[in-house]
């Protein structure tokens, strides 16, 4: 855990040597070498908008599952922490109902396909989160055990604090969500990837006020949100993509700019997808991980949870 935090902090402070607070002893020098892991998938190939992803192309993409069913996306940011949306968890359900699937481009892979499954040890939503359209729709999920990085499982890089990307920057959103309103992703449930430009907050807010009952002086797109898509609509994230990553290639390194949060329909004109701006919460993410001791686990498997894990193991999914 400490090594992972150092990796992230080093990547954030890169280019500012005076801010680097670590002693570069042989022990923690290894952590800096691991910094080359985040945001650098080992799979190659041209990216096509709205197409199936290739194995290993987005190795940080995870599926958050409730009682075995895909409910949201997420992104791996350390060996045992996942970033997702706060609205993805049903607080009426026990933590033992939730699992994270990693290392696969199918949300329902065959037992013979490479994959890893982890139970959820802890779910931490941002304290400002109230409801789906409020600020703070971001959460951290701690896994019960760390994953081992491989060609198919790697973390994404976090952005520098309060360092948003500019209007028109091209980024990519990935997910297993609906391919249209009320039209689920069909078998074999292959991860989709879509290229979208960022839209500045003011323009997006203007779009959302058109044909809206919300007074023009009351913002719909808040300061911790960003938008991506087209004025004409057509290409967008959709239901089931929530919690997944919006990533941008920054100098050859994939950095997570947003978390899929909400929208009005899917692909409607002047209703682009709305994402939680990760750069607003980078400091919160780092401090939360740092303050969560490795043995401070709030997960206590119930008998039903133990049975469910055993069932998954017998099916080859764990």
């Amino acid at each position: 855990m400490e090594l992972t935090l150092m990796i992230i902090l080093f990547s954030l402070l890169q280019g500012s040597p005076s801010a680097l607070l670590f002693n570069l002893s042989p022990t923690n020098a290894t952590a800096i070498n691991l910094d080359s892991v985040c945001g650098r998938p080992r799979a190659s190939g041209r990216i096509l908008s709205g197409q199936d992803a290739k194995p290993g192309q987005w190795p940080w993409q995870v599926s958050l599952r409730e009682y075995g069913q895909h409910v949201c996306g997420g992104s791996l940011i350390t060996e045992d922490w996942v970033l997702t949306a706060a609205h993805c968890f049903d607080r009426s359900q026990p933590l033992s109902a939730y699992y994270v699937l990693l290392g696969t481009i199918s949300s329902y892979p065959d037992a013979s396909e490479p994959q890893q499954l982890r139970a959820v040890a802890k779910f931490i939503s941002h304290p400002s989160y109230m409801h789906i359209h409020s600020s703070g729709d971001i959460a951290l999920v701690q896994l019960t055990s760390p994953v081992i990085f491989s060609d198919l499982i790697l973390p994404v890089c976090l952005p520098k604090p309060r360092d948003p990307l500019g209007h028109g920057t091209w980024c990519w959103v990935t997910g297993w969500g609906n391919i249209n309103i009320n039209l689920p992703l069909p078998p074999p449930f292959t991860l989709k990837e879509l290229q979208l430009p960022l839209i500045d907050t003011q323009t997006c807010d203007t779009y959302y006020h058109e044909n809206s009952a919300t007074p023009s002086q009351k913002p719909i797109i808040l300061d911790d949100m960003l938008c991506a898509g087209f004025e004409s609509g057509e290409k967008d994230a959709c239901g089931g993509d929530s919690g997944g990553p919006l990533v941008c290639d920054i100098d050859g390194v994939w950095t997570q700019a947003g978390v899929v949060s909400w929208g009005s329909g899917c692909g409607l004109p002047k209703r682009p997808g709305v994402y939680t701006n990760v750069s607003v919460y980078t400091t919160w993410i780092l401090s939360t991980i740092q303050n969560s001791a490795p043995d401070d686990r709030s997960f206590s498997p119930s008998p039903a949870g133990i049975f469910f894990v055993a069932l998954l193991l017998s099916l080859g999914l764990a």
Side-chain angles (χ1 to χ4, degrees):
M1 179 64 70
E2 292 176 356
L3 289 181
T4 301
L5 185 59
M6 290 171 64
I7 294 168
I8 301 171
L9 288 173
F10 181 78
S11 66
L12 294 173
L13 298 171
Q14 222 169 6
S16 304
S18 61
L20 189 60
L21 303 178
F22 306 120
N23 292 320
L24 302 185
S25 65
T27 300
N28 58 27
T30 305
I32 292 176
N33 292 335
L34 289 176
D35 176 56
S36 63
V37 171
C38 84
R40 295 166 175 84
R42 298 167 187 172
S44 60
R46 192 164 69 91
I47 299 167
L48 301 174
S49 298
Q51 300 296 313
D52 289 349
K54 298 177 180 179
Q57 195 168 21
W58 310 107
W60 42 81
Q61 177 78 43
V62 310
S63 168
L64 180 65
R65 316 177 77 72
E66 183 181 299
Y67 293 112
Q69 297 296 310
H70 169 81
V71 291
C72 275
S75 55
L76 187 70
I77 57 173
T78 78
E79 297 100 326
D80 61 347
W81 286 93
V82 164
L83 191 64
T84 189
H87 77 264
C88 285
F89 271 73
D90 181 352
R91 293 188 176 277
S92 68
Q93 299 293 337
L95 277 180
S96 56
Y98 291 95
Y99 294 83
V100 173
L101 178 67
L102 312 96
T104 175
I105 58 169
S106 174
S107 55
Y108 294 97
D110 292 335
S112 60
E113 296 178 36
Q115 59 195 277
Q116 290 192 39
L117 196 67
R118 292 291 187 275
V120 173
K122 187 180 297 183
F123 169 71
I124 306 172
S125 61
H126 193 270
S128 68
Y129 177 72
M130 298 294 290
H131 52 78
I132 184 64
H133 290 179
S134 77
S135 62
D137 188 16
I138 192 168
L140 284 164
V141 176
Q142 188 175 25
L143 309 180
T144 52
S145 62
V147 298
I148 298 174
F149 295 154
S150 67
D151 288 353
L152 301 178
I153 300 178
L154 291 170
V156 68
C157 294
L158 294 176
K160 295 180 179 180
R162 296 284 178 176
D163 187 20
L165 299 172
H167 174 82
T169 301
W170 285 90
C171 302
W172 284 262
V173 61
T174 49
W176 289 285
N178 294 346
I179 56 177
N180 210 325
I181 292 291
N182 299 322
L183 184 59
L185 183 69
F189 311 106
T190 304
L191 183 70
K192 295 292 185 180
E193 57 189 22
L194 180 64
Q195 187 180 25
L196 299 168
L198 298 185
I199 301 173
D200 67 87
T201 301
Q202 184 175 353
T203 299
C204 188
D205 191 64
T206 300
Y207 287 163
Y208 267 89
H209 272 99
E210 290 189 23
N211 301 315
S212 168
T214 304
S216 58
Q217 64 272 21
K218 182 179 179 180
I220 297 175
I221 308 303
L222 306 178
D223 291 341
D224 72 331
M225 300 175 183
L226 58 83
C227 300
F230 302 91
E231 181 178 357
S232 60
E234 298 178 10
K235 298 181 179 182
D236 194 6
C238 204
D241 291 323
S242 288
L246 176 74
V247 299
C248 313
D249 186 344
I250 308 300
D251 299 325
V253 177
W254 290 101
T255 301
Q256 185 166 352
V259 173
V260 179
S261 180
W262 63 276
S264 179
C266 299
L268 298 178
K270 294 191 175 181
R271 292 295 186 270
V274 183
Y275 301 76
T276 303
N277 188 338
V278 177
S279 72
V280 174
Y281 294 101
T282 302
T283 301
W284 173 77
I285 293 169
L286 296 178
S287 63
T288 300
I289 292 175
Q290 185 178 32
N291 292 333
S292 295
D295 59 350
D296 181 18
R297 306 271 171 152
S298 59
F299 172 76
S300 179
S302 63
I306 294 172
F307 171 79
F308 187 60
V309 173
L311 176 62
L312 293 169
L313 286 168
S314 68
L315 295 174
L317 296 177

